[in-house]
Amino acid sequence: MVQAPVEEAPDRCLATRLGGWRLRGPGAGQAVTCCEVKSIDGVVVSRLQAGPCVARRPAGPAQLLLVSYVISGGARASSRRSRRLLAPGDLVLWPGDRPVTLHVPGALELLVLAMDRPGTDATGAGLLASRSAGVRVGAQDPVGHMLSGFFDGLSRSFASLEGPHGTAAVALVRALLDECLARPLPLPRPSPQASRPLLARILAYAEAHLSDPDLSSQSLAEAHGISLRTLQALFEREGLRVAQWIRDRRLERCRDTLCRPGWDGRIIDLAMQWGFNDPSHFSRLFRMRYGRAPRQERARVEARALRM
């Protein structure tokens, strides 16, 4: 284990330990209080304690995956035009090929694992690629719930991550991440605390009009008497993008129907019903989101029903 106060560690060394993150505080030596680092079976595990600072990570190798767990404190994460707030208990997966900036207003304690991406299928790869500001793994997903609980335990027993215990812990993390990314995570939902009444009305309106092929950012803004920029800002505060949210919700409705055992409709009609006018485009989007084509998804459901 390496324990290095920032005033004793060069910035380049610190950036390497944290998977490319570079931290700057309001004064010399104030950004990072302590950084403990361990390397276990090719995975770099870092425990960071930081004061008020800005942490930046440029785009890196596409195969790199960063997994961060907020032990205490909070931060605001931004990447390109996406933003999200990080709070204690949040577990976030960061694709290595996206630049990310963390704004830390006060104190922050963070556990970070830097590793090669596990052998994910197109579902996990597409999910990571579509979320600039990281993928939050929440308690809504059973495997995500286990991951969050396990990372909480890792943060408490960091000092004992040595030898066989460390190897076993890393193997379990890899297995859980592989399972987590092999299945579609729940779509991000605005938190009740952060949601404004206007945003709640907009989302309810969009849900009710998902089958309308003309539903768009512009039509949503016009229906609620606001500018397009105001609409985009409301979504961005929750780490969402309007067009992506609409597309993902439509894909979710299509998949729900395909997974219904008694459904015997045509896939082209289903796509048209939920606003996808181009069957080929719909098939590509569905494969990117769920890792298999709509016909493959339907065949999988039918095969499972025959085995029951």
Side-chain angles (χ1 to χ4, degrees):
M1 181 182 73
V2 179
Q3 182 167 337
V6 79
E7 57 266 27
E8 297 178 6
D11 179 72
R12 181 175 299 177
C13 180
L14 178 64
T16 300
R17 291 173 185 169
L18 296 182
W21 293 92
R22 296 185 179 276
L23 297 92
R24 289 287 183 270
Q30 294 183 11
V32 178
T33 305
C34 180
C35 175
E36 302 172 273
V37 183
K38 297 183 179 184
S39 181
I40 306 170
D41 288 353
V43 177
V44 178
V45 186
S46 306
R47 179 168 176 152
L48 168 73
Q49 294 175 339
C53 67
V54 175
R56 291 187 174 88
R57 181 180 62 80
Q63 73 272 17
L64 178 67
L65 174 68
L66 295 182
V67 187
S68 66
Y69 177 78
V70 181
I71 302 170
S72 63
R76 185 178 81 252
S78 60
S79 179
R80 297 176 181 172
R81 297 178 62 185
S82 299
R83 302 174 186 172
R84 71 163 67 253
L85 297 177
L86 302 180
D90 279 350
L91 180 65
V92 180
L93 312 182
W94 306 90
D97 56 353
R98 302 293 177 91
V100 176
T101 300
L102 294 180
H103 300 268
V104 184
L108 176 68
E109 191 172 4
L110 196 66
L111 186 70
V112 181
L113 273 67
M115 59 193 296
D116 287 339
R117 291 188 190 183
T120 60
D121 64 5
T123 301
L127 186 65
L128 284 169
S130 67
R131 309 279 177 82
S132 298
V135 177
R136 179 184 279 120
V137 180
Q140 302 95 329
D141 179 75
V143 180
H145 182 70
M146 286 190 287
L147 260 175
S148 297
F150 186 70
F151 268 77
D152 183 62
L154 282 182
S155 68
R156 298 173 188 273
S157 57
F158 186 87
S160 64
L161 287 179
E162 305 284 356
H165 294 289
T167 300
V170 165
L172 184 55
V173 167
R174 288 186 185 277
L176 288 173
L177 281 174
D178 192 43
E179 174 64 22
C180 193
L181 288 174
R183 52 198 286 167
L185 296 178
L187 295 173
R189 303 281 195 256
S191 63
Q193 297 84 358
S195 295
R196 297 183 177 185
L198 175 57
L199 180 57
R201 292 198 300 271
I202 292 172
L203 292 176
Y205 178 92
E207 288 278 3
H209 293 79
L210 282 174
S211 60
D212 182 354
D214 294 326
L215 182 66
S216 65
S217 301
Q218 189 63 46
S219 68
L220 279 176
E222 292 175 356
H224 293 83
I226 58 176
S227 68
L228 183 60
R229 181 61 198 135
T230 298
L231 175 74
Q232 293 169 340
L234 286 171
F235 274 71
E236 287 171 2
R237 289 191 187 104
E238 302 298 324
L240 305 172
R241 287 179 291 178
V242 184
Q244 180 180 315
W245 185 89
I246 293 173
R247 183 179 67 240
D248 285 349
R249 292 295 290 132
R250 284 171 165 170
L251 288 171
E252 194 175 67
R253 294 288 184 91
C254 291
R255 186 172 186 267
D256 287 345
T257 300
L258 288 172
C259 291
R260 200 178 302 154
W263 184 77
D264 61 354
R266 296 197 310 163
I267 291 177
I268 187 173
D269 294 335
L270 178 65
M272 297 285 287
Q273 176 186 347
W274 293 110
F276 296 103
N277 296 325
D278 183 341
S280 298
H281 184 57
F282 165 69
S283 184
R284 285 195 300 271
L285 291 175
F286 193 95
R287 184 187 290 275
M288 287 176 59
R289 171 71 183 163
Y290 297 110
R292 57 183 68 88
R295 292 188 185 281
Q296 294 172 321
E297 180 73 11
R298 186 61 197 163
R300 185 182 67 88
V301 172
E302 291 174 347
R304 185 173 59 189
L306 290 174
R307 291 195 299 267
M308 295 177 65

